[in-house]
Amino acid sequence: QLKFVESGGGLVRPGGSLRLSCSGDGFSVDSFSIGWFRQVPGKEREGVSCLSRGGEVTKYEDPVKGRFTMSRDNAKNTVYLQMNSLKAEDTASYYCGATSSGHCPVSLTKSMMYFGYWGQGTQVTVSS
């Protein structure tokens, strides 16, 4: 089946950094626009960032602007989320999803139905 495999999560102190990886299994990541999402138990999943299929646009939701950076390495068939200056409120399970749309939606959270491929998630815990 077509899916993503996320990795790179772990336990980090506030102010620390992590880099999450999202690798395509059975398809090429450059064929899709890729989004990162996160979810805390008991709460709804929310959008984090999105990289358009053509790579010309990278979108970040307000809570992570200036701290997170998304990139794609086509040779490795992997999308990355570099997370710096991590805060306790960043603690969540992080998921990547793919949409065949050539553009990232204005609202990632409200457009999750368009992301048809998902990974199993990787846990990020920010705690002192």
Side-chain angles (χ1 to χ4, degrees):
Q1 62 180 17
L2 305 181
K3 65 178 183 179
F4 283 121
V5 178
E6 299 103 331
S7 63
L11 175 64
V12 64
R13 294 171 58 86
S17 299
L18 285 173
R19 188 180 72 165
L20 306 184
S21 298
C22 176
S23 297
D25 186 353
F27 63 96
S28 299
V29 298
D30 61 0
S31 297
F32 301 86
S33 295
I34 308 296
W36 280 100
F37 303 80
R38 64 187 182 185
Q39 186 169 22
V40 176
K43 297 184 180 297
E44 295 183 347
R45 188 171 298 185
E46 64 179 16
V48 174
S49 64
C50 181
L51 181 63
S52 65
R53 184 172 62 199
E56 73 278 6
V57 175
T58 307
K59 174 182 174 62
Y60 302 96
E61 298 299 329
D62 288 342
V64 307
K65 285 182 178 178
R67 300 188 298 118
F68 291 10
T69 303
M70 193 172 176
S71 63
R72 178 169 58 198
D73 187 335
N74 292 332
K76 297 183 180 296
N77 200 33
T78 299
V79 171
Y80 301 98
L81 183 66
Q82 179 66 47
M83 306 185 296
N84 298 325
S85 301
L86 283 163
K87 306 175 180 179
E89 52 263 42
D90 295 317
T91 296
S93 292
Y94 283 72
Y95 302 84
C96 54
T99 174
S100 60
S101 174
H103 303 92
C104 292
V106 174
S107 173
L108 284 172
T109 301
K110 295 181 179 180
S111 302
M112 283 188 291
M113 69 287 296
Y114 298 111
F115 291 80
Y117 302 101
W118 297 89
Q120 295 298 307
T122 185
Q123 177 67 36
V124 172
T125 302
V126 184
S127 177
S128 60

